[in-house]
Amino acid sequence: MVLVRRTLSKPSEGRDMLLRLPQKHKTMQKYIIAIKLWMRTIRGKLTLWFVGSVIVTFAIFVAITSFVFLQILNSQVDHHVQTVLAEVQTIWHRNSTEREKLIESVVVSQGMIVMVMAPDGEILFQTTSQNTSPPTQHEIQRHVIKLNAGDIKSPHFFTINNTRFGLLTTPISPNQGAIGVGFSLNVLEETTKQSIIAITGIALFFIITLGILGQFLAKKALTPTVTIIKTAQEITSSHDLQARIPHPGTSDELGTLVDILNSMLARLEKSFTTQQQFFADTAHTLKTPITVVRTQLEGLLTNNTSSRVQITSTIHTIDQVDHTIKDLLYLAKISSIEPSKFVAFNLSELLKEVCEIARSLASGKNITVVFSLEESLIIFGDKRLLLRSVLNVVENAVTYTPPNGTITISAIKVDEHIQLTIKDTGIGIPPHQLDKIYDRFFRGQNARDLYKGTGLGLSITKAGIEVHHGTIVLHSKENEGTTVVITLPL
């Protein structure tokens, strides 16, 4: 039974282990993915750069500090050994019975050995060290004898039984032997090692602390960026172009970015609003003539004989719709014109052509056209677009100026611009309609009574002038006339 139980328990344990291992693996995968995603963020990159810079700085600091510390320690050890050697030599010359105890009292450093040798190599006196195993007598004798030719101002280093030693010797007196002071470098190396470990530990503590601090500072510094992202996502999901990104209240790069994004959102809002208004106006404008055409065609179906007047009226209505559609297409085309494709031409010659057209249009109403054009006004632009833009203004002047009126056209160079002025003595525009004159399909009441246009002329003119980085300003007084001033850069 026991065997059966064990046999049955082993698969369950195996299944449990298999269940546990994938879970740990999935958890580890989640951590790895989270770390990778964090490393791709600006906050992660800034933190890594900061910590990396700190690590490199501390590594250089530890290396320099360790090197300087080792040099200072070596210098101190050398000085101490030379001091001990001088004191031992002085004590040995006293020939006192207690000189051996005095020498032992001088040798208090760990790993230091003092040896006094006779000229024949016999050891007269030798101290021992509890912290370092003494070197072999034969090896120490060999080195002392070898260095006994005179005073050695710098230590001689050698290795005995895997222990690194330094040895400094000096003669007791001529032909009376030598004194050698040996010191183990294990103590020096251990001290250096412990110092490096201590410095490295302190460095790691500061690296971890600064890493956490860097993460916190990066998060705080990038908080406006998170706000920008969230606001942009909310605008994208809600399609609310009236929303704006909160300004961080700083004049740094993030503040500038927020200003640019808010400006872009304002332009997008205006563009979409204009587009919606455009479609609404288009639908309203085209609805009326289409209804008229339908009514007229239905009237033709009910009559037994064709009505020439109805057919002519229907064709005229269709022509109006066609003209409106063409103006709409031309207006849409203006926004795609690239200023880089502008060419230089003589605006004075183009304006002379406009004046001739104006005289031809005005001749039937006995309107006087007066023009004063400065010669050789060279400009970069689209010649056909400027011709259409100026002609729209001139045609309006002719249309809305009563018989025997006057139209004045002038063009002069002012600083780095060309100022074109078109002035008429027409019916003028009411003050409350001046802010709507550039709107698509807008036509004042007095204009609708005199002329059945599309209401797109000044919209086309304004768009064409603005493509050339120019401005158009209109001044008008009802029953007195209208003055249009167009300014174009050279």
Side-chain angles (χ1 to χ4, degrees):
M1 292 300 292
V2 174
L3 290 176
V4 173
R5 288 179 181 176
R6 288 181 179 176
T7 303
L8 292 174
S9 63
K10 286 181 179 178
S12 63
E13 291 176 358
R15 285 194 298 270
D16 292 341
M17 186 177 295
L18 290 174
L19 289 173
R20 287 196 300 269
L21 286 176
Q23 186 63 32
K24 292 181 179 179
H25 182 68
K26 291 179 180 178
T27 304
M28 184 61 67
Q29 287 292 333
K30 289 181 180 179
Y31 282 130
I32 294 174
I33 293 173
I35 292 173
K36 288 183 178 179
L37 292 176
W38 176 79
M39 291 175 64
R40 292 178 182 177
T41 62
I42 297 178
R43 184 172 64 184
K45 291 178 180 179
L46 287 176
T47 304
L48 290 177
W49 274 104
F50 179 71
V51 173
S53 301
V54 171
I55 290 175
V56 172
T57 303
F58 269 107
I60 296 173
F61 171 74
V62 170
I64 295 175
T65 303
S66 300
F67 175 77
V68 173
F69 177 77
L70 186 60
Q71 294 299 319
I72 294 174
L73 195 58
N74 282 330
S75 176
Q76 290 180 347
V77 170
D78 291 345
H79 177 72
H80 179 63
V81 171
Q82 291 177 358
T83 302
V84 170
L85 183 61
E87 290 181 358
V88 170
Q89 187 180 25
T90 302
I91 294 172
W92 191 263
H93 280 295
R94 293 178 182 177
N95 294 322
S96 173
T97 56
E98 296 182 354
R99 62 183 181 182
E100 295 181 359
K101 291 182 179 181
L102 292 173
I103 293 175
E104 289 179 352
S105 64
V106 172
V107 183
V108 294
S109 301
Q110 297 179 359
M112 183 174 287
I113 300 173
V114 175
M115 179 180 291
V116 181
M117 295 181 59
D120 57 0
E122 179 185 358
I123 298 176
L124 302 178
F125 173 77
Q126 179 179 352
T127 63
T128 58
S129 174
Q130 296 179 355
N131 303 93
T132 304
S133 299
T136 306
Q137 180 178 349
H138 175 71
E139 291 295 329
I140 202 71
Q141 285 178 317
R142 186 171 64 84
H143 283 90
V144 171
I145 293 172
K146 182 178 180 181
L147 299 172
N148 195 26
D151 290 343
I152 305 297
K153 300 302 181 182
S154 60
H156 174 73
F157 297 97
F158 57 92
T159 302
I160 301 175
N161 296 334
N162 296 324
T163 301
R164 186 68 174 167
F165 266 85
L167 179 62
L168 191 64
T169 63
T170 184
I172 298 174
S173 58
N175 300 321
Q176 290 189 7
I179 300 174
V181 178
F183 55 96
S184 172
L185 296 180
N186 288 348
V187 177
L188 181 63
E189 292 174 354
E190 185 65 24
T191 303
T192 304
K193 181 179 178 182
Q194 291 177 358
S195 301
I196 293 175
I197 292 174
I199 294 173
T200 304
I202 296 173
L204 288 176
F205 171 77
F206 277 104
I207 288 172
I208 295 173
T209 304
L210 291 175
I212 297 173
L213 180 62
Q215 170 74 1
F216 171 75
L217 293 176
K219 182 179 180 181
K220 185 176 180 180
L222 294 175
T223 298
T225 307
V226 177
T227 304
I228 293 172
I229 295 172
K230 288 183 178 179
T231 306
Q233 290 173 342
E234 290 174 0
I235 293 173
T236 302
S237 59
S238 64
H239 304 286
D240 182 14
L241 292 177
Q242 293 181 350
R244 295 293 181 268
I245 300 171
H247 199 280
T250 59
S251 57
D252 55 6
E253 291 84 354
L254 287 177
T256 304
L257 176 61
V258 170
D259 290 335
I260 293 173
L261 291 177
N262 282 335
S263 176
M264 182 182 67
L265 288 172
R267 292 179 61 188
L268 285 174
E269 180 187 6
K270 181 180 179 181
S271 176
F272 277 99
T273 302
T274 304
Q275 186 183 54
Q276 290 174 351
Q277 185 64 38
F278 169 75
F279 285 124
D281 293 341
T282 303
H284 177 74
T285 301
L286 296 180
K287 182 179 179 180
T288 300
I290 289 175
T291 303
V292 172
V293 171
R294 180 180 179 84
T295 302
Q296 292 173 346
L297 291 176
E298 288 176 348
L300 290 175
L301 289 175
T302 58
N303 294 334
N304 294 328
T305 59
S306 301
S307 175
R308 188 176 187 87
V309 175
Q310 286 183 321
I311 293 174
T312 302
S313 178
T314 301
I315 293 174
H316 179 68
T317 303
I318 293 173
D319 288 341
Q320 283 186 325
V321 174
D322 181 64
H323 188 59
T324 301
I325 293 173
K326 287 180 179 178
D327 281 351
L328 286 172
L329 292 175
Y330 190 79
L331 184 60
K333 182 181 177 182
I334 292 176
S335 60
S336 62
I337 294 177
E338 298 181 7
S340 60
K341 295 182 179 180
F342 287 169
V343 296
F345 65 92
N346 192 335
L347 183 63
S348 300
E349 297 298 325
L350 182 143
L351 293 177
K352 289 179 182 179
E353 181 180 348
V354 170
C355 291
E356 293 301 324
I357 296 174
R359 282 182 171 177
S360 176
L361 294 173
S363 60
K365 298 176 66 176
N366 197 28
I367 297 174
T368 303
V369 178
V370 180
F371 60 91
S372 174
L373 306 176
E374 188 173 326
E375 295 292 335
S376 301
L377 297 175
I378 307 301
I379 190 174
F380 279 88
D382 187 313
K383 187 175 181 179
R384 294 181 63 182
L385 176 57
L386 282 178
L387 176 62
R388 175 73 179 273
S389 300
V390 176
L391 270 179
N392 286 339
V393 179
V394 172
E395 287 176 355
N396 284 346
V398 174
T399 301
Y400 301 115
T401 298
N404 302 318
T406 303
I407 297 175
T408 304
I409 303 173
S410 64
I412 58 174
K413 180 181 178 182
V414 180
D415 296 329
E416 298 298 322
H417 296 81
I418 295 175
Q419 182 175 296
L420 170 63
T421 305
I422 302 171
K423 183 178 181 180
D424 64 57
T425 57
I427 61 176
I429 303 171
H432 66 278
Q433 294 181 354
L434 287 175
D435 58 342
K436 300 178 181 179
I437 57 175
Y438 301 115
D439 295 346
R440 296 182 179 95
F441 305 112
F442 174 77
R443 303 185 71 242
Q445 183 62 45
N446 53 358
R448 288 196 296 268
D449 295 338
L450 293 175
Y451 177 69
K452 294 183 179 180
T454 63
L456 294 173
L458 287 181
S459 297
I460 292 175
T461 296
K462 187 174 187 295
I465 297 301
E466 289 180 348
V467 166
H468 290 82
H469 304 289
T471 59
I472 177 170
V473 179
L474 187 147
H475 305 281
S476 183
K477 288 186 178 181
E478 200 170 5
N479 299 320
E480 291 188 13
T482 300
T483 301
V484 178
V485 179
I486 297 174
T487 304
L488 296 169
L490 290 174

